[in-house]
Amino acid sequence: MANSPVMGAYATLALLADLASSLQSFVQVFVAIYVILIFAYVLLSWVQLPYSGTAAVVQRFLDEVCRPYLNLFRGRIPTLGPLDLSPMVAVVVLLVAAGIVNRLIEALL
């Protein structure tokens, strides 16, 4: 009775539910970390840090990670004087995309 088809179906459903939950958590954490990186990139672009090797490495890392995504929005979003709105739009698009992906994961699994 322990290896009946019904018990196997329950185990499969539980495994799929756990997989869906894990994927949704991964998407949420990934997006949260990327939003924090974009925020740090924007803050460091406003402030000139005194030259140090560590600050240069951090700025270069943030530039390499954030600039390709932000360039998708730059030039397409009008600026308000010196204020560039593209990072805000990029974050909103990222959050909406994460919500859509999480709902797709929920619907598929």
Side-chain angles (χ1 to χ4, degrees), residues 15-79:
L15 183 64
L16 286 176
D18 185 47
L19 175 66
S21 175
S22 295
L23 285 174
Q24 288 173 329
S25 295
F26 173 78
V27 169
Q28 289 174 341
V29 169
F30 179 80
V31 168
I33 290 171
Y34 202 72
V35 167
I36 291 169
L37 291 175
I38 290 172
F39 184 69
Y41 175 78
V42 169
L43 285 179
L44 287 178
S45 71
W46 290 345
V47 178
Q48 286 293 337
L49 297 175
Y51 181 76
S52 74
T54 306
V57 168
V58 169
Q59 285 181 326
R60 191 175 20 226
F61 170 76
L62 289 173
D63 189 54
E64 289 176 5
V65 170
C66 297
R67 185 179 296 258
Y69 178 64
L70 293 176
N71 281 344
L72 296 173
F73 301 95
R74 288 207 171 111
R76 293 182 177 95
I77 310 292
T79 60

Side-chain angles (χ1 to χ4, degrees), residues 61-108:
F61 170 76
L62 289 173
D63 189 54
E64 289 176 5
V65 170
C66 297
R67 185 179 296 258
Y69 178 64
L70 293 176
N71 281 344
L72 296 173
F73 301 95
R74 288 207 171 111
R76 293 182 177 95
I77 310 292
T79 60
L80 291 174
L83 185 62
D84 183 16
L85 299 177
S86 61
M88 288 184 270
V89 173
V91 167
V92 169
V93 168
L94 192 62
L95 293 173
V96 169
I100 291 170
V101 167
N102 277 338
R103 287 192 181 161
L104 285 173
I105 291 169
E106 185 178 330
L108 292 175

